[in-house]
Amino acid sequence: MHFFDSHTHLPDDCSKEEAEAILLEASAASVKEILLAGTSLDDIPVYLPLAETHPGVHTAVGIHPEACSAFDEASALPRLREWAKAPGVVAIGEIGLDAHYDATTAEEQERCLKAMLRLADQTGLPVVIHCREAFERCHQIIDQCLAIDHPLQIHSFADGPRELDIWLKRNTFFSYNGMTTFKKAENIRGTLRLVPRKRLLLETDAPYLTPVPYRGQANASKFIPLIAERVAQEQGLSLEEVAELTTANAHRLFRLDK
């Protein structure tokens, strides 16, 4: 089998040796491709060499809403624009809005998101979206800034059927992670049963959201098969079918077969 972790991160202060071990463990678990989602000007330079030198490792470049208070468009955008041309870069992200935490203001988040979406529009790269408790405004800004057919990934999708239906009017893919295995996450399993198979992706969002039965440990791409098992159960598919389907979807979203 060939799995694709469509959204993951390395732990903070991860050494080169630790990164190599994480990638090797993933490959041993049949997770042959991953996307390292950039969140700031600090982690992107760590991810770029890995994407350049490791087949199957891809990355996205962008500023996470929790990192946007330090975002200076004049100095950051030229770096991001140059990084977007680097080998292995397949998307702009992780970007979006987060109303759950108050480390940054709504105004800071929206300013940063609009700048990142302009970059996505200019480069034509797909967009990896973080949208937490901010659907209405996030969707509105994306509608204003991007063509309706511009490819999007809503990572760690946790909204309801209404939001799913609205996102589906755009060229949107939805990635599901370890939350699908949580006992109290029936709302997430509910949309997982509804999402069209051609729009479905797997992710870990490591090192967070570790699936059952390993909650309490750091998450890693090697746990994708556990997530895939629950996805298979909810979608009425075999594990092999989920692996093939979600990998093909990730290739289509990130344009890896061109």
Side-chain angles (χ1 to χ4, degrees), residues 40-73:
S40 71
L41 301 182
D42 295 324
D43 62 5
I44 295 170
V46 176
Y47 294 168
L48 290 174
L50 293 171
E52 183 174 3
T53 58
H54 290 69
V57 176
H58 318 284
T59 192
V61 298
I63 306 297
H64 189 282
E66 291 181 35
C68 67
S69 61
F71 175 69
D72 178 75
E73 185 170 345

PDB file of all heavy atoms in Angstrom, residues 40-73:
ATOM      1  N   SER A  40       5.476  29.265   9.469  1.00  0.00           N
ATOM      2  CA  SER A  40       6.152  30.515   9.819  1.00  0.00           C
ATOM      3  C   SER A  40       7.466  30.622   9.045  1.00  0.00           C
ATOM      4  O   SER A  40       7.889  29.670   8.376  1.00  0.00           O
ATOM      5  CB  SER A  40       6.446  30.560  11.321  1.00  0.00           C
ATOM      6  OG  SER A  40       7.472  29.639  11.647  1.00  0.00           O
ATOM      7  N   LEU A  41       8.113  31.757   9.188  1.00  0.00           N
ATOM      8  CA  LEU A  41       9.422  31.945   8.561  1.00  0.00           C
ATOM      9  C   LEU A  41      10.502  31.133   9.256  1.00  0.00           C
ATOM     10  O   LEU A  41      11.640  31.080   8.771  1.00  0.00           O
ATOM     11  CB  LEU A  41       9.802  33.426   8.565  1.00  0.00           C
ATOM     12  CG  LEU A  41       8.831  34.371   7.842  1.00  0.00           C
ATOM     13  CD1 LEU A  41       9.365  35.800   7.890  1.00  0.00           C
ATOM     14  CD2 LEU A  41       8.594  33.932   6.408  1.00  0.00           C
ATOM     15  N   ASP A  42      10.149  30.500  10.382  1.00  0.00           N
ATOM     16  CA  ASP A  42      11.118  29.687  11.118  1.00  0.00           C
ATOM     17  C   ASP A  42      11.131  28.234  10.654  1.00  0.00           C
ATOM     18  O   ASP A  42      12.203  27.641  10.492  1.00  0.00           O
ATOM     19  CB  ASP A  42      10.823  29.746  12.624  1.00  0.00           C
ATOM     20  CG  ASP A  42      11.013  31.142  13.203  1.00  0.00           C
ATOM     21  OD1 ASP A  42      11.925  31.849  12.751  1.00  0.00           O
ATOM     22  OD2 ASP A  42      10.226  31.515  14.097  1.00  0.00           O
ATOM     23  N   ASP A  43       9.956  27.627  10.464  1.00  0.00           N
ATOM     24  CA  ASP A  43       9.964  26.202  10.115  1.00  0.00           C
ATOM     25  C   ASP A  43      10.116  25.955   8.615  1.00  0.00           C
ATOM     26  O   ASP A  43      10.621  24.902   8.205  1.00  0.00           O
ATOM     27  CB  ASP A  43       8.742  25.474  10.672  1.00  0.00           C
ATOM     28  CG  ASP A  43       7.408  25.980  10.144  1.00  0.00           C
ATOM     29  OD1 ASP A  43       7.389  26.846   9.256  1.00  0.00           O
ATOM     30  OD2 ASP A  43       6.366  25.505  10.644  1.00  0.00           O
ATOM     31  N   ILE A  44       9.731  26.898   7.784  1.00  0.00           N
ATOM     32  CA  ILE A  44       9.852  26.677   6.338  1.00  0.00           C
ATOM     33  C   ILE A  44      11.295  26.381   5.918  1.00  0.00           C
ATOM     34  O   ILE A  44      11.528  25.436   5.145  1.00  0.00           O
ATOM     35  CB  ILE A  44       9.269  27.876   5.558  1.00  0.00           C
ATOM     36  CG1 ILE A  44       7.759  27.972   5.804  1.00  0.00           C
ATOM     37  CG2 ILE A  44       9.544  27.734   4.065  1.00  0.00           C
ATOM     38  CD1 ILE A  44       7.130  29.248   5.282  1.00  0.00           C
ATOM     39  N   PRO A  45      12.306  27.126   6.419  1.00  0.00           N
ATOM     40  CA  PRO A  45      13.681  26.799   6.032  1.00  0.00           C
ATOM     41  C   PRO A  45      14.141  25.416   6.486  1.00  0.00           C
ATOM     42  O   PRO A  45      15.090  24.859   5.923  1.00  0.00           O
ATOM     43  CB  PRO A  45      14.512  27.898   6.712  1.00  0.00           C
ATOM     44  CG  PRO A  45      13.575  29.023   6.928  1.00  0.00           C
ATOM     45  CD  PRO A  45      12.253  28.378   7.215  1.00  0.00           C
ATOM     46  N   VAL A  46      13.486  24.851   7.487  1.00  0.00           N
ATOM     47  CA  VAL A  46      13.793  23.487   7.920  1.00  0.00           C
ATOM     48  C   VAL A  46      13.186  22.479   6.942  1.00  0.00           C
ATOM     49  O   VAL A  46      13.791  21.444   6.621  1.00  0.00           O
ATOM     50  CB  VAL A  46      13.269  23.237   9.343  1.00  0.00           C
ATOM     51  CG1 VAL A  46      13.496  21.788   9.766  1.00  0.00           C
ATOM     52  CG2 VAL A  46      13.929  24.189  10.332  1.00  0.00           C
ATOM     53  N   TYR A  47      11.986  22.776   6.448  1.00  0.00           N
ATOM     54  CA  TYR A  47      11.265  21.852   5.592  1.00  0.00           C
ATOM     55  C   TYR A  47      11.792  21.831   4.154  1.00  0.00           C
ATOM     56  O   TYR A  47      11.779  20.791   3.487  1.00  0.00           O
ATOM     57  CB  TYR A  47       9.773  22.199   5.568  1.00  0.00           C
ATOM     58  CG  TYR A  47       9.057  22.011   6.881  1.00  0.00           C
ATOM     59  CD1 TYR A  47       7.775  22.523   7.085  1.00  0.00           C
ATOM     60  CD2 TYR A  47       9.642  21.313   7.937  1.00  0.00           C
ATOM     61  CE1 TYR A  47       7.105  22.345   8.281  1.00  0.00           C
ATOM     62  CE2 TYR A  47       8.985  21.142   9.145  1.00  0.00           C
ATOM     63  CZ  TYR A  47       7.716  21.662   9.305  1.00  0.00           C
ATOM     64  OH  TYR A  47       7.058  21.482  10.493  1.00  0.00           O
ATOM     65  N   LEU A  48      12.244  22.969   3.657  1.00  0.00           N
ATOM     66  CA  LEU A  48      12.653  23.057   2.256  1.00  0.00           C
ATOM     67  C   LEU A  48      13.754  22.066   1.884  1.00  0.00           C
ATOM     68  O   LEU A  48      13.642  21.381   0.854  1.00  0.00           O
ATOM     69  CB  LEU A  48      13.072  24.483   1.912  1.00  0.00           C
ATOM     70  CG  LEU A  48      11.944  25.522   1.860  1.00  0.00           C
ATOM     71  CD1 LEU A  48      12.516  26.914   1.654  1.00  0.00           C
ATOM     72  CD2 LEU A  48      10.954  25.190   0.755  1.00  0.00           C
ATOM     73  N   PRO A  49      14.836  21.930   2.669  1.00  0.00           N
ATOM     74  CA  PRO A  49      15.868  20.955   2.298  1.00  0.00           C
ATOM     75  C   PRO A  49      15.367  19.518   2.300  1.00  0.00           C
ATOM     76  O   PRO A  49      15.811  18.699   1.487  1.00  0.00           O
ATOM     77  CB  PRO A  49      16.945  21.162   3.369  1.00  0.00           C
ATOM     78  CG  PRO A  49      16.705  22.525   3.912  1.00  0.00           C
ATOM     79  CD  PRO A  49      15.226  22.719   3.850  1.00  0.00           C
ATOM     80  N   LEU A  50      14.439  19.197   3.193  1.00  0.00           N
ATOM     81  CA  LEU A  50      13.883  17.849   3.239  1.00  0.00           C
ATOM     82  C   LEU A  50      13.078  17.562   1.974  1.00  0.00           C
ATOM     83  O   LEU A  50      13.162  16.468   1.396  1.00  0.00           O
ATOM     84  CB  LEU A  50      13.010  17.668   4.476  1.00  0.00           C
ATOM     85  CG  LEU A  50      13.743  17.712   5.818  1.00  0.00           C
ATOM     86  CD1 LEU A  50      12.743  17.753   6.976  1.00  0.00           C
ATOM     87  CD2 LEU A  50      14.666  16.505   5.975  1.00  0.00           C
ATOM     88  N   ALA A  51      12.297  18.542   1.537  1.00  0.00           N
ATOM     89  CA  ALA A  51      11.503  18.359   0.328  1.00  0.00           C
ATOM     90  C   ALA A  51      12.392  18.271  -0.909  1.00  0.00           C
ATOM     91  O   ALA A  51      12.067  17.564  -1.864  1.00  0.00           O
ATOM     92  CB  ALA A  51      10.507  19.509   0.177  1.00  0.00           C
ATOM     93  N   GLU A  52      13.511  18.951  -0.883  1.00  0.00           N
ATOM     94  CA  GLU A  52      14.415  18.942  -2.040  1.00  0.00           C
ATOM     95  C   GLU A  52      15.188  17.627  -2.154  1.00  0.00           C
ATOM     96  O   GLU A  52      15.476  17.165  -3.256  1.00  0.00           O
ATOM     97  CB  GLU A  52      15.395  20.108  -1.944  1.00  0.00           C
ATOM     98  CG  GLU A  52      16.332  20.212  -3.134  1.00  0.00           C
ATOM     99  CD  GLU A  52      17.201  21.458  -3.104  1.00  0.00           C
ATOM    100  OE1 GLU A  52      17.110  22.220  -2.121  1.00  0.00           O
ATOM    101  OE2 GLU A  52      17.968  21.650  -4.059  1.00  0.00           O
ATOM    102  N   THR A  53      15.499  17.032  -1.018  1.00  0.00           N
ATOM    103  CA  THR A  53      16.409  15.879  -1.022  1.00  0.00           C
ATOM    104  C   THR A  53      15.734  14.535  -0.795  1.00  0.00           C
ATOM    105  O   THR A  53      16.370  13.493  -0.974  1.00  0.00           O
ATOM    106  CB  THR A  53      17.500  16.065   0.056  1.00  0.00           C
ATOM    107  OG1 THR A  53      16.873  16.212   1.342  1.00  0.00           O
ATOM    108  CG2 THR A  53      18.337  17.292  -0.245  1.00  0.00           C
ATOM    109  N   HIS A  54      14.458  14.524  -0.398  1.00  0.00           N
ATOM    110  CA  HIS A  54      13.783  13.264  -0.100  1.00  0.00           C
ATOM    111  C   HIS A  54      12.607  13.043  -1.048  1.00  0.00           C
ATOM    112  O   HIS A  54      11.612  13.781  -0.985  1.00  0.00           O
ATOM    113  CB  HIS A  54      13.260  13.258   1.346  1.00  0.00           C
ATOM    114  CG  HIS A  54      14.329  13.187   2.380  1.00  0.00           C
ATOM    115  ND1 HIS A  54      15.204  14.229   2.621  1.00  0.00           N
ATOM    116  CD2 HIS A  54      14.673  12.189   3.243  1.00  0.00           C
ATOM    117  CE1 HIS A  54      16.030  13.886   3.594  1.00  0.00           C
ATOM    118  NE2 HIS A  54      15.746  12.650   3.975  1.00  0.00           N
ATOM    119  N   PRO A  55      12.701  12.050  -1.923  1.00  0.00           N
ATOM    120  CA  PRO A  55      11.549  11.734  -2.779  1.00  0.00           C
ATOM    121  C   PRO A  55      10.327  11.416  -1.927  1.00  0.00           C
ATOM    122  O   PRO A  55      10.413  10.699  -0.928  1.00  0.00           O
ATOM    123  CB  PRO A  55      12.021  10.491  -3.537  1.00  0.00           C
ATOM    124  CG  PRO A  55      13.515  10.569  -3.507  1.00  0.00           C
ATOM    125  CD  PRO A  55      13.858  11.181  -2.179  1.00  0.00           C
ATOM    126  N   GLY A  56       9.198  11.967  -2.318  1.00  0.00           N
ATOM    127  CA  GLY A  56       7.968  11.721  -1.570  1.00  0.00           C
ATOM    128  C   GLY A  56       7.697  12.724  -0.469  1.00  0.00           C
ATOM    129  O   GLY A  56       6.629  12.696   0.134  1.00  0.00           O
ATOM    130  N   VAL A  57       8.665  13.598  -0.191  1.00  0.00           N
ATOM    131  CA  VAL A  57       8.448  14.655   0.803  1.00  0.00           C
ATOM    132  C   VAL A  57       8.165  15.950   0.055  1.00  0.00           C
ATOM    133  O   VAL A  57       8.960  16.387  -0.784  1.00  0.00           O
ATOM    134  CB  VAL A  57       9.656  14.831   1.739  1.00  0.00           C
ATOM    135  CG1 VAL A  57       9.435  16.010   2.688  1.00  0.00           C
ATOM    136  CG2 VAL A  57       9.894  13.546   2.526  1.00  0.00           C
ATOM    137  N   HIS A  58       7.028  16.550   0.358  1.00  0.00           N
ATOM    138  CA  HIS A  58       6.602  17.798  -0.260  1.00  0.00           C
ATOM    139  C   HIS A  58       6.391  18.821   0.854  1.00  0.00           C
ATOM    140  O   HIS A  58       6.302  18.462   2.026  1.00  0.00           O
ATOM    141  CB  HIS A  58       5.302  17.592  -1.034  1.00  0.00           C
ATOM    142  CG  HIS A  58       5.267  16.317  -1.832  1.00  0.00           C
ATOM    143  ND1 HIS A  58       5.938  16.155  -3.019  1.00  0.00           N
ATOM    144  CD2 HIS A  58       4.651  15.122  -1.580  1.00  0.00           C
ATOM    145  CE1 HIS A  58       5.726  14.930  -3.480  1.00  0.00           C
ATOM    146  NE2 HIS A  58       4.944  14.285  -2.625  1.00  0.00           N
ATOM    147  N   THR A  59       6.286  20.084   0.466  1.00  0.00           N
ATOM    148  CA  THR A  59       6.035  21.081   1.502  1.00  0.00           C
ATOM    149  C   THR A  59       5.149  22.204   0.979  1.00  0.00           C
ATOM    150  O   THR A  59       4.982  22.376  -0.229  1.00  0.00           O
ATOM    151  CB  THR A  59       7.361  21.648   2.062  1.00  0.00           C
ATOM    152  OG1 THR A  59       7.094  22.402   3.254  1.00  0.00           O
ATOM    153  CG2 THR A  59       8.057  22.539   1.059  1.00  0.00           C
ATOM    154  N   ALA A  60       4.568  22.935   1.928  1.00  0.00           N
ATOM    155  CA  ALA A  60       3.789  24.133   1.638  1.00  0.00           C
ATOM    156  C   ALA A  60       4.411  25.290   2.400  1.00  0.00           C
ATOM    157  O   ALA A  60       4.946  25.094   3.495  1.00  0.00           O
ATOM    158  CB  ALA A  60       2.329  23.943   2.064  1.00  0.00           C
ATOM    159  N   VAL A  61       4.349  26.486   1.829  1.00  0.00           N
ATOM    160  CA  VAL A  61       4.943  27.654   2.475  1.00  0.00           C
ATOM    161  C   VAL A  61       3.848  28.674   2.771  1.00  0.00           C
ATOM    162  O   VAL A  61       3.027  28.990   1.913  1.00  0.00           O
ATOM    163  CB  VAL A  61       6.051  28.285   1.608  1.00  0.00           C
ATOM    164  CG1 VAL A  61       7.185  27.293   1.401  1.00  0.00           C
ATOM    165  CG2 VAL A  61       5.532  28.757   0.254  1.00  0.00           C
ATOM    166  N   GLY A  62       3.813  29.157   4.007  1.00  0.00           N
ATOM    167  CA  GLY A  62       2.796  30.121   4.392  1.00  0.00           C
ATOM    168  C   GLY A  62       2.908  30.490   5.853  1.00  0.00           C
ATOM    169  O   GLY A  62       3.756  29.952   6.578  1.00  0.00           O
ATOM    170  N   ILE A  63       2.048  31.411   6.282  1.00  0.00           N
ATOM    171  CA  ILE A  63       2.051  31.911   7.657  1.00  0.00           C
ATOM    172  C   ILE A  63       0.750  31.507   8.339  1.00  0.00           C
ATOM    173  O   ILE A  63      -0.338  31.911   7.926  1.00  0.00           O
ATOM    174  CB  ILE A  63       2.201  33.450   7.699  1.00  0.00           C
ATOM    175  CG1 ILE A  63       3.431  33.895   6.908  1.00  0.00           C
ATOM    176  CG2 ILE A  63       2.276  33.940   9.148  1.00  0.00           C
ATOM    177  CD1 ILE A  63       4.753  33.393   7.445  1.00  0.00           C
ATOM    178  N   HIS A  64       0.868  30.698   9.375  1.00  0.00           N
ATOM    179  CA  HIS A  64      -0.267  30.238  10.175  1.00  0.00           C
ATOM    180  C   HIS A  64      -0.907  31.420  10.903  1.00  0.00           C
ATOM    181  O   HIS A  64      -0.211  32.382  11.283  1.00  0.00           O
ATOM    182  CB  HIS A  64       0.259  29.209  11.184  1.00  0.00           C
ATOM    183  CG  HIS A  64      -0.782  28.473  11.943  1.00  0.00           C
ATOM    184  ND1 HIS A  64      -1.462  29.028  13.015  1.00  0.00           N
ATOM    185  CD2 HIS A  64      -1.248  27.208  11.816  1.00  0.00           C
ATOM    186  CE1 HIS A  64      -2.305  28.132  13.500  1.00  0.00           C
ATOM    187  NE2 HIS A  64      -2.197  27.020  12.789  1.00  0.00           N
ATOM    188  N   PRO A  65      -2.231  31.392  11.124  1.00  0.00           N
ATOM    189  CA  PRO A  65      -2.864  32.519  11.818  1.00  0.00           C
ATOM    190  C   PRO A  65      -2.271  32.824  13.193  1.00  0.00           C
ATOM    191  O   PRO A  65      -2.264  33.978  13.622  1.00  0.00           O
ATOM    192  CB  PRO A  65      -4.337  32.110  11.915  1.00  0.00           C
ATOM    193  CG  PRO A  65      -4.398  30.671  11.523  1.00  0.00           C
ATOM    194  CD  PRO A  65      -3.227  30.417  10.653  1.00  0.00           C
ATOM    195  N   GLU A  66      -1.753  31.813  13.890  1.00  0.00           N
ATOM    196  CA  GLU A  66      -1.163  32.075  15.199  1.00  0.00           C
ATOM    197  C   GLU A  66       0.214  32.729  15.102  1.00  0.00           C
ATOM    198  O   GLU A  66       0.741  33.205  16.110  1.00  0.00           O
ATOM    199  CB  GLU A  66      -1.078  30.775  16.005  1.00  0.00           C
ATOM    200  CG  GLU A  66      -2.430  30.246  16.432  1.00  0.00           C
ATOM    201  CD  GLU A  66      -2.306  28.960  17.247  1.00  0.00           C
ATOM    202  OE1 GLU A  66      -1.342  28.821  18.002  1.00  0.00           O
ATOM    203  OE2 GLU A  66      -3.199  28.092  17.108  1.00  0.00           O
ATOM    204  N   ALA A  67       0.783  32.762  13.906  1.00  0.00           N
ATOM    205  CA  ALA A  67       2.106  33.375  13.718  1.00  0.00           C
ATOM    206  C   ALA A  67       2.025  34.713  13.008  1.00  0.00           C
ATOM    207  O   ALA A  67       3.064  35.317  12.724  1.00  0.00           O
ATOM    208  CB  ALA A  67       3.007  32.430  12.922  1.00  0.00           C
ATOM    209  N   CYS A  68       0.815  35.204  12.750  1.00  0.00           N
ATOM    210  CA  CYS A  68       0.700  36.354  11.867  1.00  0.00           C
ATOM    211  C   CYS A  68       0.931  37.698  12.553  1.00  0.00           C
ATOM    212  O   CYS A  68       1.066  38.710  11.870  1.00  0.00           O
ATOM    213  CB  CYS A  68      -0.655  36.350  11.172  1.00  0.00           C
ATOM    214  SG  CYS A  68      -2.035  36.624  12.269  1.00  0.00           S
ATOM    215  N   SER A  69       1.015  37.734  13.880  1.00  0.00           N
ATOM    216  CA  SER A  69       1.267  39.024  14.535  1.00  0.00           C
ATOM    217  C   SER A  69       2.638  39.578  14.161  1.00  0.00           C
ATOM    218  O   SER A  69       2.844  40.795  14.157  1.00  0.00           O
ATOM    219  CB  SER A  69       1.149  38.890  16.057  1.00  0.00           C
ATOM    220  OG  SER A  69       2.087  37.970  16.553  1.00  0.00           O
ATOM    221  N   ALA A  70       3.577  38.692  13.845  1.00  0.00           N
ATOM    222  CA  ALA A  70       4.923  39.129  13.460  1.00  0.00           C
ATOM    223  C   ALA A  70       5.069  39.277  11.945  1.00  0.00           C
ATOM    224  O   ALA A  70       6.175  39.551  11.457  1.00  0.00           O
ATOM    225  CB  ALA A  70       5.949  38.119  13.978  1.00  0.00           C
ATOM    226  N   PHE A  71       3.982  39.103  11.213  1.00  0.00           N
ATOM    227  CA  PHE A  71       4.052  39.136   9.752  1.00  0.00           C
ATOM    228  C   PHE A  71       4.239  40.558   9.253  1.00  0.00           C
ATOM    229  O   PHE A  71       3.423  41.443   9.500  1.00  0.00           O
ATOM    230  CB  PHE A  71       2.778  38.540   9.159  1.00  0.00           C
ATOM    231  CG  PHE A  71       2.692  38.626   7.663  1.00  0.00           C
ATOM    232  CD1 PHE A  71       3.533  37.870   6.880  1.00  0.00           C
ATOM    233  CD2 PHE A  71       1.766  39.467   7.065  1.00  0.00           C
ATOM    234  CE1 PHE A  71       3.457  37.935   5.487  1.00  0.00           C
ATOM    235  CE2 PHE A  71       1.675  39.533   5.682  1.00  0.00           C
ATOM    236  CZ  PHE A  71       2.518  38.771   4.893  1.00  0.00           C
ATOM    237  N   ASP A  72       5.341  40.788   8.551  1.00  0.00           N
ATOM    238  CA  ASP A  72       5.614  42.067   7.896  1.00  0.00           C
ATOM    239  C   ASP A  72       5.603  41.804   6.392  1.00  0.00           C
ATOM    240  O   ASP A  72       6.526  41.170   5.859  1.00  0.00           O
ATOM    241  CB  ASP A  72       6.957  42.634   8.340  1.00  0.00           C
ATOM    242  CG  ASP A  72       7.276  43.942   7.637  1.00  0.00           C
ATOM    243  OD1 ASP A  72       6.672  44.967   7.990  1.00  0.00           O
ATOM    244  OD2 ASP A  72       8.122  43.917   6.712  1.00  0.00           O
ATOM    245  N   GLU A  73       4.583  42.268   5.733  1.00  0.00           N
ATOM    246  CA  GLU A  73       4.383  41.923   4.329  1.00  0.00           C
ATOM    247  C   GLU A  73       5.562  42.329   3.458  1.00  0.00           C
ATOM    248  O   GLU A  73       5.996  41.572   2.573  1.00  0.00           O
ATOM    249  CB  GLU A  73       3.094  42.571   3.816  1.00  0.00           C
ATOM    250  CG  GLU A  73       2.745  42.175   2.403  1.00  0.00           C
ATOM    251  CD  GLU A  73       1.339  42.629   2.006  1.00  0.00           C
ATOM    252  OE1 GLU A  73       0.552  42.984   2.890  1.00  0.00           O
ATOM    253  OE2 GLU A  73       1.052  42.593   0.795  1.00  0.00           O
TER     254      GLU A  73
END
